Amino acid sequence: MTASQEPDQRKAARQRYVQELLRLYLATPGVAGRVRRADRDLARTLFEQNVPLYAVANAFIVAAARRVRHNAYSTPMPPIQSLHYFRAPIREMLERPPGYRDIEQLRQLLLSQR
């Protein structure tokens, strides 16, 4: 691999990461369904910080499940307007990752709400 190919490969990897992250974001229950420039910028930042996609995906599941549980007991919350909503849950997934069973239970909760 030449030195000029490496930046191209990194750029392609970043593009794949950002696309997949934004696809997961839009598929998350409670998200308004729009991607803004700030969302793309945050996705790129997460790539540059080497945040694994699985941690981001788990953060989406955990935050969405918390909203579902909250909405069951009170007035429904407004739709999520920005990827920035998930910054704290992403940090939480990096600091204290939940177990596989926990994520699967939350995923099933979300699927039962559809």
Side-chain angles (χ1 to χ4, degrees):
M1 173 176 14
T2 66
S4 65
Q5 288 174 321
E6 188 172 334
D8 290 340
Q9 288 181 343
R10 181 142 173 92
K11 185 177 178 181
R14 182 180 66 217
Q15 184 177 5
R16 285 190 305 273
Y17 178 96
V18 168
Q19 286 176 342
E20 181 62 12
L21 187 148
L22 295 176
R23 185 193 67 76
L24 291 168
Y25 167 67
L26 290 174
T28 302
V31 170
R34 290 182 46 202
V35 173
R36 300 171 186 206
R37 181 183 184 127
D39 299 332
R40 289 184 191 286
D41 292 344
L42 179 55
R44 285 186 204 100
T45 299
L46 293 172
F47 174 82
E48 296 301 329
Q49 293 173 347
N50 296 315
V51 175
L53 268 177
Y54 74 84
V56 177
N58 288 348
F60 292 164
I61 292 167
V62 168
R66 286 176 182 163
R67 288 174 59 89
V68 165
R69 287 182 177 161
H70 173 82
N71 288 344
Y73 300 106
S74 67
T75 305
M77 300 171 80
I80 298 167
Q81 300 291 329
S82 174
L83 180 60
H84 285 77
Y85 176 88
F86 295 99
R87 287 182 77 157
I90 291 168
R91 186 170 40 256
E92 181 182 333
M93 294 304 106
L94 294 171
E95 292 171 359
R96 290 176 277 129
Y100 175 78
R101 285 189 193 167
D102 298 326
I103 291 297
E104 280 307 305
Q105 286 177 336
L106 295 175
R107 188 185 321 270
Q108 291 305 315
L109 170 69
L110 293 175
L111 290 173
S112 71
Q113 298 297 313
R114 290 187 180 201

